[in-house]
Every structure is written in C-alpha cells, then in structure tokens.
PDB file of all heavy atoms in Angstrom:
ATOM      1  N   THR M   1      85.464 117.743-109.812  1.00 45.00           N
ATOM      2  CA  THR M   1      85.747 116.438-110.435  1.00 45.00           C
ATOM      3  C   THR M   1      84.706 115.397-109.977  1.00 45.00           C
ATOM      4  O   THR M   1      84.220 114.595-110.774  1.00 45.00           O
ATOM      5  CB  THR M   1      87.147 115.962-110.022  1.00 45.00           C
ATOM      6  OG1 THR M   1      88.104 116.931-110.437  1.00 45.00           O
ATOM      7  CG2 THR M   1      87.474 114.614-110.657  1.00 45.00           C
ATOM      8  N   ALA M   2      84.375 115.452-108.677  1.00 44.00           N
ATOM      9  CA  ALA M   2      83.385 114.525-108.149  1.00 44.00           C
ATOM     10  C   ALA M   2      82.028 114.765-108.809  1.00 44.00           C
ATOM     11  O   ALA M   2      81.298 113.823-109.141  1.00 44.00           O
ATOM     12  CB  ALA M   2      83.259 114.673-106.641  1.00 44.00           C
ATOM     13  N   ALA M   3      81.673 116.045-109.014  1.00 46.00           N
ATOM     14  CA  ALA M   3      80.394 116.379-109.635  1.00 46.00           C
ATOM     15  C   ALA M   3      80.360 115.882-111.079  1.00 46.00           C
ATOM     16  O   ALA M   3      79.348 115.311-111.539  1.00 46.00           O
ATOM     17  CB  ALA M   3      80.173 117.891-109.612  1.00 46.00           C
ATOM     18  N   ASP M   4      81.467 116.059-111.811  1.00 50.00           N
ATOM     19  CA  ASP M   4      81.522 115.572-113.191  1.00 50.00           C
ATOM     20  C   ASP M   4      81.376 114.059-113.219  1.00 50.00           C
ATOM     21  O   ASP M   4      80.678 113.495-114.081  1.00 50.00           O
ATOM     22  CB  ASP M   4      82.855 115.987-113.841  1.00 50.00           C
ATOM     23  CG  ASP M   4      82.931 117.497-114.023  1.00 50.00           C
ATOM     24  OD1 ASP M   4      81.862 118.153-113.992  1.00 50.00           O
ATOM     25  OD2 ASP M   4      84.043 118.031-114.190  1.00 50.00           O
ATOM     26  N   ALA M   5      82.068 113.399-112.282  1.00 45.00           N
ATOM     27  CA  ALA M   5      82.004 111.922-112.251  1.00 45.00           C
ATOM     28  C   ALA M   5      80.594 111.484-111.936  1.00 45.00           C
ATOM     29  O   ALA M   5      80.077 110.529-112.509  1.00 45.00           O
ATOM     30  CB  ALA M   5      82.982 111.391-111.187  1.00 45.00           C
ATOM     31  N   SER M   6      79.934 112.216-111.018  1.00 44.00           N
ATOM     32  CA  SER M   6      78.546 111.869-110.668  1.00 44.00           C
ATOM     33  C   SER M   6      77.643 112.065-111.855  1.00 44.00           C
ATOM     34  O   SER M   6      76.757 111.241-112.129  1.00 44.00           O
ATOM     35  CB  SER M   6      78.084 112.742-109.498  1.00 44.00           C
ATOM     36  OG  SER M   6      76.736 112.474-109.192  1.00 44.00           O
ATOM     37  N   ALA M   7      77.852 113.184-112.565  1.00 44.00           N
ATOM     38  CA  ALA M   7      77.010 113.446-113.746  1.00 44.00           C
ATOM     39  C   ALA M   7      77.237 112.370-114.797  1.00 44.00           C
ATOM     40  O   ALA M   7      76.319 111.891-115.453  1.00 44.00           O
ATOM     41  CB  ALA M   7      77.325 114.812-114.320  1.00 44.00           C
ATOM     42  N   SER M   8      78.510 111.981-114.946  1.00 45.00           N
ATOM     43  CA  SER M   8      78.821 110.946-115.917  1.00 45.00           C
ATOM     44  C   SER M   8      78.144 109.642-115.559  1.00 45.00           C
ATOM     45  O   SER M   8      77.566 108.950-116.397  1.00 45.00           O
ATOM     46  CB  SER M   8      80.346 110.753-116.000  1.00 45.00           C
ATOM     47  OG  SER M   8      80.661 109.708-116.877  1.00 45.00           O
ATOM     48  N   ASP M   9      78.219 109.300-114.252  1.00 45.00           N
ATOM     49  CA  ASP M   9      77.565 108.072-113.808  1.00 45.00           C
ATOM     50  C   ASP M   9      76.055 108.142-113.998  1.00 45.00           C
ATOM     51  O   ASP M   9      75.415 107.180-114.402  1.00 45.00           O
ATOM     52  CB  ASP M   9      77.865 107.837-112.316  1.00 45.00           C
ATOM     53  CG  ASP M   9      79.328 107.524-112.114  1.00 45.00           C
ATOM     54  OD1 ASP M   9      80.008 107.128-113.111  1.00 45.00           O
ATOM     55  OD2 ASP M   9      79.817 107.656-110.958  1.00 45.00           O
ATOM     56  N   SER M  10      75.495 109.344-113.748  1.00 43.00           N
ATOM     57  CA  SER M  10      74.041 109.530-113.914  1.00 43.00           C
ATOM     58  C   SER M  10      73.647 109.352-115.356  1.00 43.00           C
ATOM     59  O   SER M  10      72.651 108.726-115.697  1.00 43.00           O
ATOM     60  CB  SER M  10      73.630 110.921-113.399  1.00 43.00           C
ATOM     61  OG  SER M  10      72.246 111.124-113.611  1.00 43.00           O
ATOM     62  N   GLY M  11      74.479 109.916-116.276  1.00 44.00           N
ATOM     63  CA  GLY M  11      74.207 109.786-117.697  1.00 44.00           C
ATOM     64  C   GLY M  11      74.253 108.334-118.141  1.00 44.00           C
ATOM     65  O   GLY M  11      73.439 107.852-118.900  1.00 44.00           O
ATOM     66  N   SER M  12      75.253 107.634-117.604  1.00 42.00           N
ATOM     67  CA  SER M  12      75.387 106.228-117.952  1.00 42.00           C
ATOM     68  C   SER M  12      74.183 105.447-117.457  1.00 42.00           C
ATOM     69  O   SER M  12      73.678 104.556-118.143  1.00 42.00           O
ATOM     70  CB  SER M  12      76.674 105.661-117.328  1.00 42.00           C
ATOM     71  OG  SER M  12      77.793 106.352-117.834  1.00 42.00           O
ATOM     72  N   GLY M  13      73.672 105.810-116.269  1.00 43.00           N
ATOM     73  CA  GLY M  13      72.496 105.131-115.732  1.00 43.00           C
ATOM     74  C   GLY M  13      71.266 105.359-116.605  1.00 43.00           C
ATOM     75  O   GLY M  13      70.485 104.438-116.866  1.00 43.00           O
ATOM     76  N   ASP M  14      71.082 106.624-117.058  1.00 46.00           N
ATOM     77  CA  ASP M  14      69.932 106.938-117.927  1.00 46.00           C
ATOM     78  C   ASP M  14      70.017 106.133-119.223  1.00 46.00           C
ATOM     79  O   ASP M  14      69.013 105.615-119.716  1.00 46.00           O
ATOM     80  CB  ASP M  14      69.908 108.435-118.234  1.00 46.00           C
ATOM     81  CG  ASP M  14      69.603 109.247-116.962  1.00 46.00           C
ATOM     82  OD1 ASP M  14      69.093 108.631-116.012  1.00 46.00           O
ATOM     83  OD2 ASP M  14      69.876 110.457-116.986  1.00 46.00           O
ATOM     84  N   GLY M  15      71.221 106.044-119.776  1.00 45.00           N
ATOM     85  CA  GLY M  15      71.392 105.294-121.003  1.00 45.00           C
ATOM     86  C   GLY M  15      71.051 103.844-120.821  1.00 45.00           C
ATOM     87  O   GLY M  15      70.417 103.196-121.671  1.00 45.00           O
ATOM     88  N   SER M  16      71.489 103.295-119.677  1.00 44.00           N
ATOM     89  CA  SER M  16      71.205 101.875-119.397  1.00 44.00           C
ATOM     90  C   SER M  16      69.723 101.639-119.257  1.00 44.00           C
ATOM     91  O   SER M  16      69.191 100.646-119.757  1.00 44.00           O
ATOM     92  CB  SER M  16      71.947 101.446-118.121  1.00 44.00           C
ATOM     93  OG  SER M  16      73.342 101.609-118.261  1.00 44.00           O
ATOM     94  N   ASP M  17      69.020 102.564-118.567  1.00 49.00           N
ATOM     95  CA  ASP M  17      67.567 102.424-118.409  1.00 49.00           C
ATOM     96  C   ASP M  17      66.863 102.445-119.759  1.00 49.00           C
ATOM     97  O   ASP M  17      65.933 101.660-120.022  1.00 49.00           O
ATOM     98  CB  ASP M  17      67.013 103.547-117.519  1.00 49.00           C
ATOM     99  CG  ASP M  17      67.521 103.395-116.071  1.00 49.00           C
ATOM    100  OD1 ASP M  17      67.954 102.276-115.719  1.00 49.00           O
ATOM    101  OD2 ASP M  17      67.467 104.392-115.341  1.00 49.00           O
ATOM    102  N   THR M  18      67.256 103.374-120.637  1.00 47.00           N
ATOM    103  CA  THR M  18      66.623 103.481-121.961  1.00 47.00           C
ATOM    104  C   THR M  18      66.827 102.210-122.758  1.00 47.00           C
ATOM    105  O   THR M  18      65.897 101.671-123.401  1.00 47.00           O
ATOM    106  CB  THR M  18      67.202 104.682-122.733  1.00 47.00           C
ATOM    107  OG1 THR M  18      66.996 105.860-121.958  1.00 47.00           O
ATOM    108  CG2 THR M  18      66.550 104.827-124.093  1.00 47.00           C
ATOM    109  N   THR M  19      68.028 101.702-122.726  1.00 46.00           N
ATOM    110  CA  THR M  19      68.329 100.471-123.466  1.00 46.00           C
ATOM    111  C   THR M  19      67.491  99.310-122.957  1.00 46.00           C
ATOM    112  O   THR M  19      66.955  98.493-123.721  1.00 46.00           O
ATOM    113  CB  THR M  19      69.819 100.133-123.330  1.00 46.00           C
ATOM    114  OG1 THR M  19      70.592 101.227-123.802  1.00 46.00           O
ATOM    115  CG2 THR M  19      70.176  98.876-124.114  1.00 46.00           C
ATOM    116  N   ALA M  20      67.383  99.257-121.620  1.00 46.00           N
ATOM    117  CA  ALA M  20      66.575  98.164-121.040  1.00 46.00           C
ATOM    118  C   ALA M  20      65.129  98.254-121.475  1.00 46.00           C
ATOM    119  O   ALA M  20      64.480  97.239-121.777  1.00 46.00           O
ATOM    120  CB  ALA M  20      66.684  98.206-119.518  1.00 46.00           C
ATOM    121  N   ARG M  21      64.604  99.463-121.504  1.00 53.00           N
ATOM    122  CA  ARG M  21      63.213  99.648-121.910  1.00 53.00           C
ATOM    123  C   ARG M  21      63.003  99.242-123.358  1.00 53.00           C
ATOM    124  O   ARG M  21      62.010  98.576-123.719  1.00 53.00           O
ATOM    125  CB  ARG M  21      62.805 101.115-121.727  1.00 53.00           C
ATOM    126  CG  ARG M  21      62.711 101.521-120.245  1.00 53.00           C
ATOM    127  CD  ARG M  21      62.490 103.010-120.103  1.00 53.00           C
ATOM    128  NE  ARG M  21      62.460 103.416-118.700  1.00 53.00           N
ATOM    129  CZ  ARG M  21      62.403 104.680-118.311  1.00 53.00           C
ATOM    130  NH1 ARG M  21      62.404 105.664-119.204  1.00 53.00           N
ATOM    131  NH2 ARG M  21      62.402 104.949-117.015  1.00 53.00           N
ATOM    132  N   VAL M  22      63.914  99.669-124.237  1.00 44.00           N
ATOM    133  CA  VAL M  22      63.799  99.313-125.655  1.00 44.00           C
ATOM    134  C   VAL M  22      63.815  97.811-125.831  1.00 44.00           C
ATOM    135  O   VAL M  22      63.025  97.216-126.572  1.00 44.00           O
ATOM    136  CB  VAL M  22      64.913  99.983-126.465  1.00 44.00           C
ATOM    137  CG1 VAL M  22      64.953  99.433-127.904  1.00 44.00           C
ATOM    138  CG2 VAL M  22      64.714 101.494-126.475  1.00 44.00           C
ATOM    139  N   LEU M  23      64.770  97.151-125.152  1.00 47.00           N
ATOM    140  CA  LEU M  23      64.873  95.692-125.273  1.00 47.00           C
ATOM    141  C   LEU M  23      63.607  95.020-124.743  1.00 47.00           C
ATOM    142  O   LEU M  23      63.144  93.999-125.282  1.00 47.00           O
ATOM    143  CB  LEU M  23      66.112  95.201-124.479  1.00 47.00           C
ATOM    144  CG  LEU M  23      67.480  95.589-125.062  1.00 47.00           C
ATOM    145  CD1 LEU M  23      68.593  95.132-124.150  1.00 47.00           C
ATOM    146  CD2 LEU M  23      67.652  94.980-126.461  1.00 47.00           C
ATOM    147  N   GLY M  24      63.045  95.603-123.659  1.00 52.00           N
ATOM    148  CA  GLY M  24      61.817  95.045-123.125  1.00 52.00           C
ATOM    149  C   GLY M  24      60.670  95.116-124.119  1.00 52.00           C
ATOM    150  O   GLY M  24      59.906  94.136-124.310  1.00 52.00           O
ATOM    151  N   ILE M  25      60.537  96.274-124.763  1.00 51.00           N
ATOM    152  CA  ILE M  25      59.468  96.448-125.764  1.00 51.00           C
ATOM    153  C   ILE M  25      59.665  95.520-126.929  1.00 51.00           C
ATOM    154  O   ILE M  25      58.723  94.860-127.427  1.00 51.00           O
ATOM    155  CB  ILE M  25      59.425  97.911-126.240  1.00 51.00           C
ATOM    156  CG1 ILE M  25      59.005  98.823-125.061  1.00 51.00           C
ATOM    157  CG2 ILE M  25      58.483  98.070-127.416  1.00 51.00           C
ATOM    158  CD1 ILE M  25      59.114 100.304-125.367  1.00 51.00           C
ATOM    159  N   VAL M  26      60.939  95.405-127.396  1.00 46.00           N
ATOM    160  CA  VAL M  26      61.221  94.506-128.518  1.00 46.00           C
ATOM    161  C   VAL M  26      60.867  93.073-128.127  1.00 46.00           C
ATOM    162  O   VAL M  26      60.315  92.293-128.911  1.00 46.00           O
ATOM    163  CB  VAL M  26      62.708  94.609-128.915  1.00 46.00           C
ATOM    164  CG1 VAL M  26      63.074  93.508-129.914  1.00 46.00           C
ATOM    165  CG2 VAL M  26      62.994  95.968-129.521  1.00 46.00           C
ATOM    166  N   GLY M  27      61.194  92.706-126.890  1.00 51.00           N
ATOM    167  CA  GLY M  27      60.883  91.344-126.461  1.00 51.00           C
ATOM    168  C   GLY M  27      59.386  91.093-126.440  1.00 51.00           C
ATOM    169  O   GLY M  27      58.915  90.017-126.824  1.00 51.00           O
ATOM    170  N   ILE M  28      58.613  92.117-125.992  1.00 50.00           N
ATOM    171  CA  ILE M  28      57.152  91.969-125.980  1.00 50.00           C
ATOM    172  C   ILE M  28      56.610  91.793-127.393  1.00 50.00           C
ATOM    173  O   ILE M  28      55.761  90.936-127.679  1.00 50.00           O
ATOM    174  CB  ILE M  28      56.488  93.178-125.306  1.00 50.00           C
ATOM    175  CG1 ILE M  28      56.864  93.179-123.805  1.00 50.00           C
ATOM    176  CG2 ILE M  28      54.982  93.159-125.474  1.00 50.00           C
ATOM    177  CD1 ILE M  28      56.425  94.470-123.102  1.00 50.00           C
ATOM    178  N   VAL M  29      57.131  92.639-128.326  1.00 44.00           N
ATOM    179  CA  VAL M  29      56.663  92.567-129.729  1.00 44.00           C
ATOM    180  C   VAL M  29      56.987  91.217-130.306  1.00 44.00           C
ATOM    181  O   VAL M  29      56.163  90.553-130.989  1.00 44.00           O
ATOM    182  CB  VAL M  29      57.298  93.692-130.555  1.00 44.00           C
ATOM    183  CG1 VAL M  29      56.993  93.495-132.048  1.00 44.00           C
ATOM    184  CG2 VAL M  29      56.806  95.054-130.067  1.00 44.00           C
ATOM    185  N   VAL M  30      58.233  90.732-130.082  1.00 44.00           N
ATOM    186  CA  VAL M  30      58.642  89.437-130.628  1.00 44.00           C
ATOM    187  C   VAL M  30      57.778  88.317-130.045  1.00 44.00           C
ATOM    188  O   VAL M  30      57.347  87.403-130.729  1.00 44.00           O
ATOM    189  CB  VAL M  30      60.119  89.201-130.343  1.00 44.00           C
ATOM    190  CG1 VAL M  30      60.513  87.758-130.719  1.00 44.00           C
ATOM    191  CG2 VAL M  30      60.977  90.193-131.115  1.00 44.00           C
ATOM    192  N   GLY M  31      57.548  88.465-128.727  1.00 51.00           N
ATOM    193  CA  GLY M  31      56.713  87.425-128.088  1.00 51.00           C
ATOM    194  C   GLY M  31      55.305  87.415-128.671  1.00 51.00           C
ATOM    195  O   GLY M  31      54.722  86.333-128.915  1.00 51.00           O
ATOM    196  N   ALA M  32      54.702  88.608-128.878  1.00 51.00           N
ATOM    197  CA  ALA M  32      53.356  88.694-129.436  1.00 51.00           C
ATOM    198  C   ALA M  32      53.324  88.119-130.857  1.00 51.00           C
ATOM    199  O   ALA M  32      52.373  87.417-131.259  1.00 51.00           O
ATOM    200  CB  ALA M  32      52.887  90.153-129.437  1.00 51.00           C
ATOM    201  N   ALA M  33      54.367  88.423-131.631  1.00 50.00           N
ATOM    202  CA  ALA M  33      54.420  87.906-133.001  1.00 50.00           C
ATOM    203  C   ALA M  33      54.477  86.386-132.981  1.00 50.00           C
ATOM    204  O   ALA M  33      53.880  85.689-133.800  1.00 50.00           O
ATOM    205  CB  ALA M  33      55.641  88.491-133.716  1.00 50.00           C
ATOM    206  N   GLY M  34      55.266  85.876-132.050  1.00 49.00           N
ATOM    207  CA  GLY M  34      55.403  84.420-131.952  1.00 49.00           C
ATOM    208  C   GLY M  34      54.060  83.770-131.602  1.00 49.00           C
ATOM    209  O   GLY M  34      53.690  82.729-132.163  1.00 49.00           O
ATOM    210  N   VAL M  35      53.318  84.392-130.681  1.00 41.00           N
ATOM    211  CA  VAL M  35      52.008  83.865-130.292  1.00 41.00           C
ATOM    212  C   VAL M  35      51.051  83.898-131.491  1.00 41.00           C
ATOM    213  O   VAL M  35      50.321  82.946-131.780  1.00 41.00           O
ATOM    214  CB  VAL M  35      51.413  84.664-129.119  1.00 41.00           C
ATOM    215  CG1 VAL M  35      49.984  84.241-128.865  1.00 41.00           C
ATOM    216  CG2 VAL M  35      52.272  84.465-127.873  1.00 41.00           C
ATOM    217  N   GLY M  36      51.085  85.027-132.242  1.00 47.00           N
ATOM    218  CA  GLY M  36      50.205  85.163-133.425  1.00 47.00           C
ATOM    219  C   GLY M  36      50.541  84.131-134.464  1.00 47.00           C
ATOM    220  O   GLY M  36      49.643  83.516-135.079  1.00 47.00           O
ATOM    221  N   TYR M  37      51.822  83.920-134.688  1.00 45.00           N
ATOM    222  CA  TYR M  37      52.248  82.934-135.674  1.00 45.00           C
ATOM    223  C   TYR M  37      51.799  81.547-135.249  1.00 45.00           C
ATOM    224  O   TYR M  37      51.327  80.752-136.081  1.00 45.00           O
ATOM    225  CB  TYR M  37      53.776  82.968-135.806  1.00 45.00           C
ATOM    226  CG  TYR M  37      54.280  81.942-136.777  1.00 45.00           C
ATOM    227  CD1 TYR M  37      54.180  82.146-138.164  1.00 45.00           C
ATOM    228  CD2 TYR M  37      54.862  80.759-136.308  1.00 45.00           C
ATOM    229  CE1 TYR M  37      54.656  81.179-139.052  1.00 45.00           C
ATOM    230  CE2 TYR M  37      55.339  79.817-137.194  1.00 45.00           C
ATOM    231  CZ  TYR M  37      55.224  80.020-138.558  1.00 45.00           C
ATOM    232  OH  TYR M  37      55.677  79.079-139.434  1.00 45.00           O
ATOM    233  N   GLY M  38      51.900  81.281-133.953  1.00 47.00           N
ATOM    234  CA  GLY M  38      51.465  79.938-133.470  1.00 47.00           C
ATOM    235  C   GLY M  38      49.962  79.732-133.681  1.00 47.00           C
ATOM    236  O   GLY M  38      49.506  78.639-134.037  1.00 47.00           O
ATOM    237  N   VAL M  39      49.163  80.784-133.433  1.00 40.00           N
ATOM    238  CA  VAL M  39      47.719  80.668-133.634  1.00 40.00           C
ATOM    239  C   VAL M  39      47.354  80.407-135.081  1.00 40.00           C
ATOM    240  O   VAL M  39      46.534  79.546-135.419  1.00 40.00           O
ATOM    241  CB  VAL M  39      46.994  81.949-133.106  1.00 40.00           C
ATOM    242  CG1 VAL M  39      45.529  81.920-133.491  1.00 40.00           C
ATOM    243  CG2 VAL M  39      47.182  82.057-131.601  1.00 40.00           C
ATOM    244  N   LEU M  40      47.988  81.154-135.990  1.00 43.00           N
ATOM    245  CA  LEU M  40      47.707  80.970-137.423  1.00 43.00           C
ATOM    246  C   LEU M  40      48.114  79.586-137.884  1.00 43.00           C
ATOM    247  O   LEU M  40      47.427  78.917-138.688  1.00 43.00           O
ATOM    248  CB  LEU M  40      48.464  82.045-138.236  1.00 43.00           C
ATOM    249  CG  LEU M  40      47.961  83.486-138.055  1.00 43.00           C
ATOM    250  CD1 LEU M  40      48.880  84.442-138.805  1.00 43.00           C
ATOM    251  CD2 LEU M  40      46.521  83.601-138.594  1.00 43.00           C
ATOM    252  N   ALA M  41      49.246  79.141-137.389  1.00 46.00           N
ATOM    253  CA  ALA M  41      49.709  77.794-137.794  1.00 46.00           C
ATOM    254  C   ALA M  41      48.737  76.727-137.332  1.00 46.00           C
ATOM    255  O   ALA M  41      48.421  75.754-138.037  1.00 46.00           O
ATOM    256  CB  ALA M  41      51.100  77.533-137.225  1.00 46.00           C
ATOM    257  N   GLY M  42      48.188  76.920-136.154  1.00 49.00           N
ATOM    258  CA  GLY M  42      47.224  75.934-135.635  1.00 49.00           C
ATOM    259  C   GLY M  42      45.960  75.927-136.450  1.00 49.00           C
ATOM    260  O   GLY M  42      45.381  74.879-136.742  1.00 49.00           O
ATOM    261  N   ARG M  43      45.480  77.069-136.845  1.00 49.00           N
ATOM    262  CA  ARG M  43      44.269  77.157-137.654  1.00 49.00           C
ATOM    263  C   ARG M  43      44.473  76.473-138.994  1.00 49.00           C
ATOM    264  O   ARG M  43      43.571  75.786-139.543  1.00 49.00           O
ATOM    265  CB  ARG M  43      43.863  78.603-137.866  1.00 49.00           C
ATOM    266  CG  ARG M  43      43.301  79.256-136.594  1.00 49.00           C
ATOM    267  CD  ARG M  43      42.938  80.681-136.856  1.00 49.00           C
ATOM    268  NE  ARG M  43      42.386  81.295-135.648  1.00 49.00           N
ATOM    269  CZ  ARG M  43      42.025  82.574-135.602  1.00 49.00           C
ATOM    270  NH1 ARG M  43      42.194  83.369-136.678  1.00 49.00           N
ATOM    271  NH2 ARG M  43      41.522  83.059-134.461  1.00 49.00           N
ATOM    272  N   ARG M  44      45.657  76.639-139.638  1.00 48.00           N
ATOM    273  CA  ARG M  44      45.923  76.007-140.922  1.00 48.00           C
ATOM    274  C   ARG M  44      45.896  74.474-140.772  1.00 48.00           C
ATOM    275  O   ARG M  44      45.371  73.764-141.649  1.00 48.00           O
ATOM    276  CB  ARG M  44      47.286  76.465-141.453  1.00 48.00           C
ATOM    277  CG  ARG M  44      47.232  77.910-141.928  1.00 48.00           C
ATOM    278  CD  ARG M  44      48.637  78.321-142.385  1.00 48.00           C
ATOM    279  NE  ARG M  44      48.616  79.706-142.851  1.00 48.00           N
ATOM    280  CZ  ARG M  44      49.684  80.370-143.209  1.00 48.00           C
ATOM    281  NH1 ARG M  44      50.883  79.743-143.200  1.00 48.00           N
ATOM    282  NH2 ARG M  44      49.607  81.624-143.626  1.00 48.00           N
ATOM    283  N   ARG M  45      46.449  73.983-139.674  1.00 47.00           N
ATOM    284  CA  ARG M  45      46.443  72.511-139.486  1.00 47.00           C
ATOM    285  C   ARG M  45      45.001  72.006-139.354  1.00 47.00           C
ATOM    286  O   ARG M  45      44.613  70.954-139.913  1.00 47.00           O
ATOM    287  CB  ARG M  45      47.251  72.136-138.239  1.00 47.00           C
ATOM    288  CG  ARG M  45      48.728  72.370-138.376  1.00 47.00           C
ATOM    289  CD  ARG M  45      49.454  71.659-137.248  1.00 47.00           C
ATOM    290  NE  ARG M  45      50.856  72.051-137.210  1.00 47.00           N
ATOM    291  CZ  ARG M  45      51.322  72.988-136.405  1.00 47.00           C
ATOM    292  NH1 ARG M  45      50.526  73.642-135.589  1.00 47.00           N
ATOM    293  NH2 ARG M  45      52.631  73.266-136.447  1.00 47.00           N
ATOM    294  N   ASP M  46      44.198  72.774-138.565  1.00 47.00           N
ATOM    295  CA  ASP M  46      42.810  72.353-138.369  1.00 47.00           C
ATOM    296  C   ASP M  46      42.024  72.366-139.725  1.00 47.00           C
ATOM    297  O   ASP M  46      41.246  71.450-139.999  1.00 47.00           O
ATOM    298  CB  ASP M  46      42.099  73.287-137.387  1.00 47.00           C
ATOM    299  CG  ASP M  46      42.683  73.152-135.975  1.00 47.00           C
ATOM    300  OD1 ASP M  46      43.346  72.110-135.710  1.00 47.00           O
ATOM    301  OD2 ASP M  46      42.517  74.099-135.181  1.00 47.00           O
ATOM    302  N   SER M  47      42.282  73.365-140.548  1.00 46.00           N
ATOM    303  CA  SER M  47      41.591  73.444-141.868  1.00 46.00           C
ATOM    304  C   SER M  47      42.004  72.313-142.755  1.00 46.00           C
ATOM    305  O   SER M  47      41.193  71.691-143.468  1.00 46.00           O
ATOM    306  CB  SER M  47      41.931  74.805-142.551  1.00 46.00           C
ATOM    307  OG  SER M  47      41.458  75.872-141.727  1.00 46.00           O
TER     308      SER M  47
END
C-alpha cells in the first residue's frame, strides 16, 4: 500500500512538473508576442 501511494505521489509530481513546464513555455511565447507587438506598434507611430 505504501509503495502504491508512493508511486501515486510520484506520478502526481511528474504531472505537476509537466504542467509547470508547459505554462512556462506558453508564458515565454506570450511575452515574446507582446514584445513583438509593441515594437511594430512603435514603428507605425514613427512612420
């Protein structure tokens, strides 16, 4: 029972790590898009 519980906890930990990584990547992409959008908007104002 202890081994099953440990395995279950380990599985839950792996799932949490994967989710965190995905969210991190999404955050980076969103941040990069925001920076790109800001640069384009600035160029249009200057033109």
